[in-house]
Structures are given as C-alpha cells and as structure tokens.
Amino acid sequence: MNTKISAYAHPEVLVDADWLLEHLNDPNVRVVESNEDLLLYDMGHIPGAVHIDWRRDLNDQTVRDYVGPEGFAALCERNGIGPETTVVFYGDKSNWWACYAFWVFQLFGHDKAKVLDGGRDKWEEEGRPLTREVVAYPAVTYPVPAGRNDAAHRAYFQQALEHMQAGKKMVDVRSPKEFSGETTHMPEYPQEGVLRGGHIPGAKSCPWARAANADKTFKTREELEAIYAGELGLNVEDDIVAYCRIGERSSHTWFVLKYLLGYKQVRNYDGSWTEWGNMVRSPIEKSL
Amino acid sequence: MAYPAPLQELIELFEYLPEAERRESLINYADASKSCGPKEGEVFDLEDVRKDEECTDTVGVFLRAEEGDRAHFAIELGPKVQTLTKAMTAILCRSLNGAPMKEVLEVPADFVPRIIGAELVRLRSQTVYYVLSRMKTAVKMLLDRRRAAEGGG
C-alpha cells in the first residue's frame, strides 16, 4: 500500500493502479466501471471489468429511488459478485459515479468495496491496459440483503430539513455559482429541471473538486483535513449531510469525509438540489 | 421537413437494429470521428473552433462550400467530448456532407433519439444535439458572410 493511501482513516477502501493490476486475475475481486459517459465502457475498459450503470442498474426504473434488496442481489449475481467478493469501483469524472456506486453498495452493507484512486482517467493517462472484450462471469448466489440501510448513509428531504433547522453541519459540494444561486446548473451541463437557485440555509460551500488533484486522485489526508476541518470547521463527531444536485458529486465528498478522513456520521442527501430547489416552500438562501 | 436522403437511410437503419447492435454501431461511429477532422492541406471557407459552456471540450467546425452551395464539413473534437457526441459527429459528417446548405439549416433535431435509442437518451447526453447546432451555426455564418460580401460589392 502506498504511503498516501495508508495515511487515510480507512486505507482499506482505496487502491492504486499497481494494486489493481496485481489483482486483475484474482477471482475474489470484481472490477466495476461506473461512468457518466454512457458508452465509455464499450470504448474500452480495464480487462475483466463489468459495467454498472447508475441509472439502469442502481436506480429504480419508476420511482426516484434505488433498487431494493432483491434488485441489488440480482445485480450482483449477474455480474458475478458474491457476498465475499471484493468490488473495486472506478470511472470517469474523477470517480463521481464510482463513489456513487460504492455508496449504493454500502446501502446494502456490501463493505468489501474499494475505489481506484484516480479512476479511469489516471489509468488511461498512464497507458495501462484497456480492452473491449466483455467477460461474462458465471452467475453466483448473492443472498438477498435483509433491507437497505438508508439510515446510516442517506438523508431524505425531511431529514435534511430537520438537519438544517437544528443548525447541524451541511456541505454543499456544487460549483460556487450554483451555491450562490447565479446558475441552476453546473458548468458544461444542461439544466436538470430546477426551478429555484441558491442553497440550503446554513450550508457551507465546498465544491467536490477541492478534494481532487488534477490527475483525479484524492488529495492527501493532510490536504483534505486542511479543507474540511481547517476551513469548514467540521469535527470528527459532527453529524454531517452532503448534497449536490442529484447526489453523485456529493457521493465523492461523502467518500472523502467518511472513509478518507474518518468522520463518523456522514450522509448523502441524494435528493439534493433537484429536490430541494423544486420543493414548494423549502427555505432557500442566496449569496449573490 | 424531410431529412437529407443519407441521413434518412441511417435513421431507418438504426431504428431496425437490436439494442446490442445499435450500441456497437454507435461505438464504430465514435471511432470514426477521429477521421472527421480536417486533412492536412485542406482549405475551408470557415473555421469555427471554440469551447462552449454546454460542451465538455473544444469543438472545431470547418466548412467549405462546394459546387456553389453544397456543404462540406470537417469536425475536430477535443478528447473529453462524450462518446455519444463523437458518434453523432461521424454520423452527421457522413450524412450531411454534400447536402445543400439550405437543407442543412432545416434539418430537425428530432432524429437523435431515433438513432441513439431510448436507453441512451438522458438529460446528461444532451450534447448529442450540440454538434448539429454547431454545424448549422457554421452554415449560417458562411451564408451571412456571403450576403455581406455581396451587399458590400
């Protein structure tokens, strides 16, 4: 394990490319690519990796929610993931969707999970192997989890509202212009149906990208502590909610706070701004 | 309005393809986008290279009028452009090159979901529409420039 990774609060959840290369043929490891670019996996992926698409595979196809325990078990089974399989997530966009998929796996208690530091971009940049060959793994049995543990990892609107009313710590990880209310979409993206701009009153702005280096790897523990403890004043025992617009950027920050820095109570408010900014009479603060 | 014939043929082809083959075709078109850029020594009447807010990377549109009013496009994409947008670029270059410029201006964008299929139509893949709009903008700029030159002459 490299010294940067070993310094994190939970170094077991992060691997570097060398580690992954050594484990590509390990039958107890399944590599999962999760992207925003819908066809990127088809253009080439890490040998042996399977593709889990956030919308098709992790979301319920009717209600704005996630798959239930049966759906999760079926997803694992068709990707050759058993309850003892170590799943290594990676993807585009600095691992936004990899962290999102990791987060969904935690809702079902699959804690044998890791993220590839630097994600797809760094792997490609370093000229490491990619293939278009899709491996079909034999189906395995994944016992249906007893339930989905939303309470530990996820905040719903009402909980986010009560969190705000209690004056507890809330981190808005969107871009500064989204936070201020100047725009309702992030740079280079379409508007995703938000009626109001601004942020949840009391939330502190800390764009997700501050936790990442230019090569998409996570910053060191020391650098991250300077941001989240030093600048934002977050304490390890604080009850913290992170949000963005639909929950993928805040999954990245959730991962940083909970696993890299060891904050004890961190939840991702996945309804995020597309829920809060549309909810009738939800309080909004602007900072234009 | 009717689509230019080569585009109409491609739409019909994609509509008949099963999902797996449709994806494979889109991947092939995305690969082909690498050869859509201007060739060495090629001369164009208009070059419009820019990074817009709504796209993840720089897109260069190069346009030359052939046989009076027929459009010939070359398009260069930055590496961060999404795969679907790359595919759409190759599809549009293949199907609109040689079309009268007036016809390019009138191509409706409603063919996009018919090509990429329902599963790939998402809010965040809206940049597939971006390339067509940039091609139309280039045509309009070239026609405006011509009109201005004629008026000034």
Side-chain angles (χ1 to χ4, degrees), chain B residues 100-115:
Chain B
M101 288 198 274
K102 189 171 173 294
E103 217 170 277
V104 173
L105 283 177
E106 291 172 358
V107 173
D110 57 3
F111 68 90
V112 172
R114 295 172 65 188
I115 285 182

Side-chain angles (χ1 to χ4, degrees), chain A residues 33-226:
Chain A
E33 178 162 336
S34 274
N35 296 320
E36 180 156 294
D37 185 330
L38 294 167
L39 293 175
L40 198 53
Y41 172 86
D42 305 77
M43 294 292 282
H45 48 265
I46 293 178
V50 296
H51 182 210
I52 289 187
D53 176 60
W54 69 278
R55 181 68 188 272
R56 181 194 63 200
D57 297 317
L58 299 176
N59 282 192
D60 184 274
Q61 295 306 299
T62 307
V63 177
R64 186 179 175 186
D65 198 0
Y66 298 92
V67 290
E70 291 83 7
F72 177 75
L75 170 69
C76 289
E77 288 184 349
R78 67 176 177 264
N79 284 294
I81 298 170
E84 297 304 318
T85 306
T86 295
V87 184
V88 181
F89 296 94
Y90 78 99
D92 64 357
K93 296 278 173 184
S94 302
N95 274 331
W96 285 356
W97 299 100
C99 290
Y100 181 92
F102 178 103
W103 174 72
V104 174
F105 270 60
Q106 299 323 297
L107 298 180
F108 295 100
H110 191 104
D111 54 10
K112 288 182 173 55
K114 300 173 187 292
V115 169
L116 171 66
D117 198 19
R120 184 186 168 104
D121 286 331
K122 190 165 192 288
W123 184 274
E124 265 193 283
E125 189 68 32
E126 292 174 345
R128 293 179 187 269
L130 291 173
T131 180
R132 290 190 177 183
E133 187 190 344
V134 175
V135 180
Y137 292 99
V140 295
T141 301
Y142 197 105
V144 175
R148 201 176 61 199
N149 187 10
D150 286 356
H153 305 290
R154 186 180 182 198
Y156 292 109
F157 174 81
Q158 188 58 33
Q159 292 165 324
L161 184 67
E162 287 163 9
H163 197 87
M164 176 212 80
Q165 288 164 339
K168 291 182 178 175
K169 304 282 175 62
M170 195 169 266
V171 185
D172 183 318
V173 313
R174 298 173 302 156
S175 62
K177 284 185 178 177
E178 292 172 272
F179 179 82
S180 70
E182 186 179 339
T183 65
T184 51
H185 62 90
M186 64 176 144
E188 300 171 349
Y189 281 79
Q191 223 281 12
E192 285 178 317
V194 177
L195 296 173
R196 292 286 187 270
H199 56 266
I200 299 177
K204 290 190 176 177
S205 171
C206 188
W208 70 273
R210 293 202 58 201
N213 294 308
D215 67 356
K216 321 300 186 193
T217 56
F218 292 103
K219 286 185 176 167
T220 64
R221 181 170 188 172
E222 194 178 19
E223 290 169 323
L224 295 173
E225 280 173 345

Side-chain angles (χ1 to χ4, degrees), chain B residues 79-95:
Chain B
K80 290 185 204 157
V81 168
Q82 285 215 346
T83 309
L84 266 180
T85 309
K86 289 177 182 168
M88 194 53 66
T89 298
I91 287 167
L92 288 172
C93 277
R94 173 181 284 193
S95 56

